[in-house]
Amino acid sequence: MLEVYKLTKRFGERIALDGVTFRVGRGETLAVMGPSGCGKSTLLLAIQRLVRVDSGEIWFGGEPVMHLKGEMLRRYRRRIGFVFQRQQLVGHLDALENVLLGPVLAGTPERKARRLAEQALEQVGLLSKARDFPATMSGGERQRVGIARALAMQPELILWDEPTAALDPMLVDDVIEVMTALAKQRSTAMIVVTHELPFALQVADRVVLMERGAVVGSGPPREVLFGGEGEIARRLRRLYEVRYGGTSLPAGRRDDRTERSDEERRRTIPAGRSILAM
Amino acid sequence: MFAFARDGYGREIVALFVLTVLVTAAVAGGAGAVADLWFKSAVESLVGVPGEFDVIVHLQAQAGRGAVRELGERLEAIAPGTRLKEGPALLGRFNVFAGLPGEKRNAATFESLDAALRDLPGFDGISYIVEPSVLVKDAHPAVRQRFVDEAARDPRVRFTFQRGGNVWVVAEHAEAAEGVRARLEEAAGRLGILDVRFAGPHSAEELAVFARSVEEAAASEYPAIRVAHLGSGDSESVRDLLEVKRLLAGVAAADWQGLRRTLEQAEAAVAEAAQDSTVREDIAAALDAFEQAVAQLETLERRAVQLREQLKEVAGSDGGTGVLIALLLERLAAGLQGGQQEAAAPPAVDVERLKSGIASLAERLASIESLDFEPVIDEVRRLEESLAPLKDGAGERFLELIDKAIEAQGGEGTRVEFLLEGDWTRVDPAALVEEAAPGALKAFVRPAAAIESDPRTALSRLLARAVGAVRLAAGLLASAIFFLLDTVTIVSFLQLRPDGTGWAPRPRRAAAAALGGAWMAATFGAAAWLAGGGEWWAALVLGFVTGWLLACAAHRVAPVDADEVQAGLSLGLGGGEILREIVVPGGRPGILIWLNHFGRRIPAAARR
């Protein structure tokens, strides 16, 4: 459904994207990993046409999108949800109003928009806080409102820009759980920029490794992260050993998707909680 | 993002412009109207309603309240029923407004008033504020009668009278005065004076030859202009200045210093005489010299008084506008300070005291055999203190100022004047005189007279400018407030990168600031035009500069959250929608937030 071909972007002397090429299928979850400043966030912004790239092509649903302008561009953006690292909620709107913003202004009838918004808030477990303002919420709650805002648009693809990076470690699980549940539904494709190795290993269908704006590895998570010989793969392996202990590696999701039950997969997600109605 | 107007926000922008202009115009117009009322009431409380008073009689404050009472009695005798009102005291002068009864408002009364009041104690001149009138000011003696005749031919003129070099033309009513003024201005526009100055003295024959040459040269160069030789001689005003200079030179160069020295010698001699009576002759000689110095001082003082009287006559015959302005300012200042203040009279040397001191000393000297010298020494000390107001160097400074004034008048030397009739502004005096008299120091042309309105009208024109300034200031303030409440938010929005990833590079921010300047110039200029007055052009300039400065600081004054804007973009919102739903509701409360309220969809959708 999404094809990115030789995407290149420079900020002055610094190369942010260096011929990035990959594709994402319908309902597929792609984890993008790499050190800070390697161009992951720029890649997501470029996909939603929020930054102008120097060269390259993007196809979405089989249509080129780089030439889109005005209303056509806005329609394209509405098909893609974006979950920001810093949530980026509108401070003077409450949770419900933040979530309503997209559907209402996309032309959805107001009653339907409200229903969609409430469903999205319920999906992230925040319907009871619909009239709360961002300033009165915790970081995790704000991030879940950000997710609900993306979901309410009923997007075909959701871009996640390190959604747990700015959160207190105690609140990370709430967000990961929502992401995992969505990935499991397989109704929406997802590109997740993350440093959460367990999530990438157990939830993602594929992993793209980036370094200095270029893709240095791509494929099934276990293969890329533990089979790769590059410096990034080695560092990620070391990190996993230190953080999660030993070398017993969990199985990759794609490889054993058919063999493992949902219950098993859920157990392997560290500290995950099941609060969502699936 | 500059396309937000196309994205559906254009209606709000147009409405914001219209409302800003209307409200600013209302504020500016209101402030101007209040200022106008206040000024009018201040003028009327000072000089009464139009036609209520005719003259301001100035009296020296030293003469005391008795002089004011005596003035009342004197005027009652001259013109029974004269209205009197004491205005604010200014620079040691009482200013008494007097309105003559109808039957006495004529040329004969006004022309004789000065002579009738001259011997009044403390009399310090008269300023004429007759209304409605037109003043032919500083009319050259050669053309003065022409203006009188011109006025006499106009049926709208009641009468004319002259004082000094001025002619007052009193009209039947205020509207007529404007027409009379236009007629006299037209007449004055045709009359000019060609003034030629020579560096040194010239004989009458030389000047006559020169005058003929100028007339011939002018006849060939400017056939449409009639040139007539008026006469030759020293400049009247330069002559006055030279007289003052001679007087001050005498005072500054010798007398005061000598007087001081003499006094010091006298004191020393008297002190010595206290020890030894054989120095009696020395004391007598010192006192003689002292007496002579005082006599010289007395002469100087007499000459100074004469000169002052002459100058007073000239000053007292002005149109009164200057006096009225000074009085009005004094009154306004006193009003602001919460009370009236009287200026102190300048200190003066007490010649009488010096003379009586000498007499006393001489008397004591005559009985020196039995003299107690202590009181004598005290007496001399007191005399010395009488000279304290004279500071060394003051005279020299006056002389320098007089030299400058003489230089400004064209310097010392002979002058030749010609009357120019026709379009005299075309005359190039330097070129004309260069051919006829290469030795001339300076040549210039000037109007033969200046036409002015009566003081109230002139004052009203000045106050109209002040009202204009108040209107402009109020408009600028209102405009700046609306700019800070509304426009600055939009400017701040425009200073973001189009993708909402932070502040735009400098050229884009500068363009946004220039747009802010243009917006405020347009709103303020239109408001000033709507509020009336001719300040709209100043409003354009002021508006642009103020708007540009405020717009430059927009990102500090009303920072727009780039994250929120980026979130809006990611949801597929257009620039107008982002402004309406995200940026403006988060800004300061102003006209825009009110206008925005009608187009917003989110709060309503959340309530359903």
Side-chain angles (χ1 to χ4, degrees):
Chain A
M1 83 174 307
L2 176 78
E3 290 177 60
V4 173
Y5 180 71
K6 289 191 175 176
L7 224 47
T8 304
K9 171 71 180 173
R10 278 174 177 272
F11 291 112
E13 291 297 304
R14 192 171 71 81
I15 300 174
L17 297 175
D18 188 6
V20 174
T21 301
F22 64 87
R23 65 171 61 191
V24 180
R26 204 168 291 278
E28 191 181 15
T29 298
L30 178 76
V32 181
M33 305 188 80
S36 295
C38 72
K40 306 184 296 291
S41 296
T42 306
L43 174 65
L44 296 192
L45 293 171
I47 289 171
Q48 220 195 14
R49 294 282 315 278
L50 288 173
V51 291
R52 189 174 295 182
V53 294
D54 300 331
S55 64
E57 287 294 335
I58 297 172
W59 281 269
F60 189 71
E63 299 288 331
V65 300
M66 295 307 282
H67 67 285
L68 297 179
K69 285 180 182 170
E71 182 54 31
M72 294 299 284
L73 176 60
R74 291 200 284 274
R75 273 189 201 162
Y76 163 69
R77 283 175 176 161
R78 285 179 209 132
R79 294 169 68 189
I80 300 174
F82 205 117
V83 179
F84 294 94
Q85 183 178 326
R86 295 189 305 270
Q87 303 104 40
Q88 302 189 201
L89 301 180
V90 180
H92 60 82
L93 299 180
D94 63 29
L96 179 63
E97 289 168 344
N98 264 288
V99 178
L100 273 172
L101 204 55
V104 167
L105 295 174
T108 310
E110 285 182 4
R111 284 184 193 284
K112 187 181 175 190
R114 169 136 187 171
R115 198 168 59 246
L116 286 172
E118 284 173 350
Q119 278 172 2
L121 283 169
E122 193 173 14
Q123 210 170 343
V124 297
L126 281 178
L127 188 55
S128 61
K129 297 204 168 187
R131 302 323 300 246
D132 286 6
F133 283 87
T136 65
M137 294 175 157
S138 69
E141 287 171 337
R142 281 202 297 273
Q143 192 56 286
R144 283 190 280 154
V145 174
I147 294 168
R149 182 172 65 183
L151 290 175
M153 297 292 287
Q154 297 183 297
E156 296 161 53
L157 168 68
I158 300 179
L159 306 174
W160 305 73
D161 187 9
E162 299 189 44
T164 58
L167 297 182
D168 186 304
M170 302 287 285
L171 304 170
V172 168
D173 291 349
D174 290 353
V175 176
I176 290 206
E177 192 168 353
V178 173
M179 290 164 66
T180 307
L182 283 169
K184 191 183 164 194
Q185 282 181 331
R186 304 194 63 79
S187 57
T188 308
M190 305 205 299
I191 299 177
V192 185
V193 168
T194 184
H195 292 297
E196 298 291 335
L197 273 169
F199 175 84
L201 285 167
Q202 292 170 39
V203 181
D205 296 303
R206 283 189 301 123
V207 167
V208 167
L209 269 188
M210 286 182 72
E211 188 177 14
R212 292 195 193 94
V215 174
V216 293
S218 151
R222 213 166 57 145
E223 202 174 283
V224 172
L225 295 173
F226 297 117
E229 290 304 313
E231 172 63 20
I232 300 299
R234 272 198 296 276
R235 277 162 56 188
L236 283 171
R237 264 200 302 276
R238 218 164 29 246
L239 177 69
Y240 189 86
E241 284 168 12
V242 170
R243 192 175 285 179
Y244 301 104
T247 54
S248 69
L249 306 175
R253 182 183 174 197
R254 176 174 281 276
D255 304 340
D256 44 356
R257 187 185 300 155
T258 49
E259 291 81 22
R260 295 167 67 216
S261 67
D262 288 341
E263 187 57 35
E264 283 172 327
R265 274 168 45 211
R266 211 172 289 164
R267 271 205 307 274
T268 56
I269 298 169
R273 283 189 296 120
S274 177
I275 58 164
L276 304 173
M278 308 262 312
Chain B
M1 260 175 222
F2 278 94
F4 64 86
R6 285 202 308 271
D7 282 349
Y9 211 65
R11 201 180 44 195
E12 280 91 339
I13 296 296
V14 171
L16 174 67
F17 182 85
V18 172
L19 282 176
T20 305
V21 168
L22 290 178
V23 178
T24 304
V27 170
V34 169
D36 193 36
L37 275 177
W38 191 67
F39 283 138
K40 271 187 183 147
S41 109
V43 170
E44 284 193 359
S45 70
L46 180 70
V47 291
V49 295
E52 189 175 350
F53 297 109
D54 300 310
V55 294
I56 307 171
V57 182
H58 309 292
L59 299 170
Q60 286 174 2
Q62 292 152 317
R65 295 275 157 203
V68 179
R69 273 195 303 278
E70 198 172 334
L71 170 67
E73 289 161 13
R74 190 77 66 89
L75 283 172
E76 190 59 27
I78 298 167
T82 298
R83 295 175 301 277
L84 282 185
K85 180 186 154 192
E86 199 176 325
L90 187 66
L91 295 174
R93 296 203 303 184
F94 292 138
N95 300 288
V96 183
F97 290 77
L100 302 181
E103 66 277 11
K104 288 289 181 181
R105 290 183 86 236
N106 52 45
T109 311
F110 287 122
E111 284 179 349
S112 64
L113 206 54
D114 193 64
L117 300 175
R118 190 178 290 271
D119 59 340
L120 194 71
F123 177 72
D124 209 10
I126 294 176
S127 294
Y128 295 87
I129 55 168
V130 190
E131 297 173 301
S133 67
V134 178
L135 172 63
V136 183
K137 194 174 181 184
D138 298 331
H140 193 280
V143 297
R144 212 171 286 160
Q145 192 55 41
R146 287 194 194 203
F147 285 104
V148 174
D149 296 341
E150 184 74 25
R153 281 194 290 274
D154 194 322
R156 296 167 296 188
V157 173
R158 271 181 74 189
F159 62 90
T160 60
F161 67 95
Q162 296 183 50
R163 291 296 303 146
N166 300 334
V167 178
W168 274 266
V169 179
V170 182
E172 291 287 354
H173 48 82
E175 291 74 30
E178 282 304 306
V180 173
R181 180 192 159 107
R183 181 176 180 153
L184 293 174
E185 269 178 347
E186 195 188 334
R190 292 194 304 270
L191 299 170
I193 301 292
L194 169 61
D195 200 330
V196 184
R197 305 283 170 90
F198 290 90
H202 286 69
S203 69
E205 291 75 23
E206 284 173 328
L207 293 175
V209 170
F210 162 71
R212 269 198 306 280
S213 308
V214 170
E215 282 171 345
E216 284 165 12
S220 70
E221 191 74 24
Y222 307 103
I225 298 172
R226 219 178 115 214
V227 180
H229 178 213
L230 292 175
S232 314
D234 291 335
S235 157
E236 204 174 306
S237 54
V238 169
R239 236 185 358 250
D240 289 343
L241 287 168
L242 285 172
E243 177 67 15
V244 175
K245 186 180 169 185
R246 273 192 287 276
L247 179 68
L248 278 174
V251 174
D255 300 320
W256 297 113
Q257 303 296 337
L259 201 55
R260 265 184 190 283
R261 276 197 302 276
T262 307
L263 275 172
E264 283 161 10
Q265 285 166 9
E267 186 183 1
V270 171
E272 202 172 321
Q275 313 299 326
D276 181 5
S277 61
T278 58
V279 293
R280 179 178 170 158
E281 286 76 18
D282 293 341
I283 298 169
L287 286 178
D288 277 348
F290 183 38
E291 200 165 8
Q292 281 171 13
V294 172
Q296 201 178 353
L297 170 66
E298 205 174 14
T299 310
L300 286 169
E301 195 192 41
R302 210 165 38 244
R303 286 171 65 192
V305 168
Q306 285 168 358
L307 193 67
R308 185 163 154 243
E309 285 299 312
Q310 286 170 9
L311 292 173
K312 195 166 68 184
E313 199 168 299
V314 175
S317 65
D318 77 16
T321 309
V323 176
L324 269 190
I325 290 169
L327 287 174
L328 186 65
L329 289 175
E330 174 72 9
R331 191 186 182 86
L332 293 179
L336 288 173
Q337 287 163 13
Q340 194 165 312
Q341 290 185 341
E342 291 191 11
V349 177
D350 190 347
V351 178
E352 284 307 316
R353 192 173 162 197
L354 284 172
K355 281 166 74 180
S356 68
I358 291 166
S360 164
L361 275 173
E363 196 181 307
R364 285 163 190 271
L365 204 59
S367 56
I368 196 162
E369 301 303 331
S370 59
L371 190 63
D372 175 6
F373 280 96
E374 283 305 316
V376 177
I377 293 167
D378 288 343
E379 193 73 40
V380 173
R381 281 203 182 119
R382 270 196 320 116
L383 291 174
E384 200 173 12
E385 281 164 11
S386 301
L387 295 174
L390 285 165
K391 289 178 182 166
D392 293 340
E396 282 79 358
R397 281 199 297 279
F398 278 125
L399 286 174
E400 279 173 26
L401 290 173
I402 288 170
D403 281 339
K404 280 183 188 167
I406 291 172
E407 189 55 41
Q409 293 279 321
E412 296 178 46
T414 306
R415 77 194 279 192
V416 184
E417 287 182 326
F418 300 88
L419 176 64
L420 309 174
E421 284 187 78
D423 185 8
W424 57 270
T425 54
R426 287 175 48 229
V427 172
D428 178 359
L432 189 65
V433 169
E434 195 176 33
E435 284 178 28
L441 182 68
K442 200 180 278 183
F444 53 92
V445 289
R446 58 183 164 88
I451 309 299
E452 290 182 1
S453 297
D454 60 53
R456 184 192 297 270
T457 310
L459 203 57
S460 298
R461 284 204 188 104
L462 278 177
L463 292 179
R465 283 193 206 168
V467 168
V470 168
R471 205 163 33 215
L472 201 65
L476 182 63
L477 187 67
S479 196
I481 288 172
F482 290 128
F483 192 87
L484 284 172
L485 290 179
D486 298 317
T487 318
V488 84
T489 306
I490 294 175
V491 173
S492 184
F493 174 66
L494 294 177
Q495 288 180 334
L496 291 177
R497 288 178 185 275
D499 53 21
T501 52
W503 296 111
R506 197 179 291 269
R508 187 185 171 91
R509 293 207 309 270
L515 198 68
W519 172 275
M520 190 156 159
T523 52
F524 187 26
W529 177 77
L530 213 60
E535 306 94 28
W536 62 269
W537 56 270
L540 279 179
V541 178
L542 258 175
F544 183 81
V545 173
T546 313
W548 179 76
L549 286 173
L550 293 176
C552 282
H555 62 291
R556 290 176 196 278
V557 177
V560 170
D561 190 331
D563 280 354
E564 291 183 359
V565 172
Q566 193 180 46
L569 288 170
S570 81
L571 291 170
L573 272 56
E577 290 166 331
I578 290 173
L579 266 178
R580 186 183 292 119
E581 304 290 348
I582 298 176
V583 175
V584 172
R588 291 193 171 83
I591 294 177
L592 194 57
I593 230 169
W594 176 71
L595 287 169
N596 195 69
H597 171 76
F598 299 106
R600 280 187 79 191
R601 297 184 59 191
I602 288 307
R607 281 195 296 271
R608 286 180 203 283

